[in-house]
Amino acid sequence: MKTLVDQLSKYADYHRDPRNILTHYVGVPMIMLAVVILLARLGWGRVAGFPITLALLAAVVAAVYYWRLDRRYGMTMGLVLAAMLALAVPIAGQSTALWLAWGLGLFALGWVIQFVGHFYEGRKPAFMDDIMGLIIGPLFVAAELGFAMGLRKEVQAAVEQRSGPVRRRSLAGA
């Protein structure tokens, strides 16, 4: 299994412009919440009053993967996923039109924001070359937010050693 730094560095190779990273702070959580909302409607009943859904199963698998990469990030991502599940379950219980409006609306808007960021980057999204980018994207956002707050300097240094520093790309040649 690749390490945390392996995964973050590979993803960071596609995300070095600060404008692109900024769009990811908004777009990735929107896409992530949209997927949780859409999967929260597909379920198999309740256990102790809690709905057992495809969203829950996907969140558990993702959280375990993040935990295996890094315990602190795994805990953070587990809490984020739990919060998203808490938001998604009531939305999934609404009418089909409302559920789809939220799920598909957030999904589409999130991707529009992502592609604006990749315009600034001058590079396609990471998942187009490696599907793992879809699961690493949310972890990258959490890591970048932490770096911005001065956390995990050793991880930031290791990622920057492999992928280079965050730098604003000139659009003159675009």
Side-chain angles (χ1 to χ4, degrees):
M1 186 168 110
K2 290 183 180 180
T3 67
L4 172 69
V5 171
D6 292 336
Q7 292 289 20
L8 289 177
S9 297
K10 187 170 185 177
Y11 195 85
D13 289 343
Y14 295 78
H15 303 87
R16 302 320 298 149
D17 189 291
R19 296 165 295 186
N20 189 23
I21 293 170
L22 185 62
T23 65
H24 281 59
Y25 289 161
V26 177
V28 168
M30 288 175 78
I31 294 165
M32 197 173 158
L33 179 58
V35 170
V36 175
I37 288 169
L38 293 169
L39 296 179
R41 190 139 176 170
L42 309 170
W44 300 275
R46 293 178 173 268
V47 172
F50 193 79
I52 306 302
T53 65
L54 192 52
L56 175 63
L57 297 179
V60 167
V61 169
V64 167
Y65 178 71
Y66 296 138
W67 179 265
R68 290 192 63 202
L69 284 175
D70 183 272
R71 287 196 165 104
R72 286 182 274 179
Y73 284 126
M75 180 67 73
T76 300
M77 294 306 296
L79 291 171
V80 167
L81 286 162
M84 287 187 174
L85 283 165
L87 290 170
V89 169
I91 294 170
Q94 300 299 316
S95 70
T96 300
L98 193 57
W99 164 68
L100 285 173
W102 275 102
L104 296 177
L106 284 170
F107 191 82
L109 184 56
W111 278 111
V112 166
I113 293 167
Q114 293 299 95
F115 283 109
V116 167
H118 281 281
F119 167 78
Y120 289 117
E121 188 73 40
R123 195 153 186 205
K124 63 187 169 187
F127 82 89
M128 291 184 168
D129 288 331
D130 182 359
I131 198 75
M132 280 301 292
L134 293 173
I135 191 125
I136 298 303
L139 181 61
F140 175 82
V141 169
E144 285 292 329
L145 282 169
F147 299 161
M149 294 186 289
L151 303 172
R152 305 299 301 268
K153 292 281 191 193
E154 75 287 356
V155 175
Q156 182 179 15
V159 170
E160 288 182 357
Q161 183 178 16
R162 291 189 189 185
S163 301
V166 172
R167 69 209 174 290
R168 191 175 176 115
R169 184 179 83 91
S170 170
L171 297 178

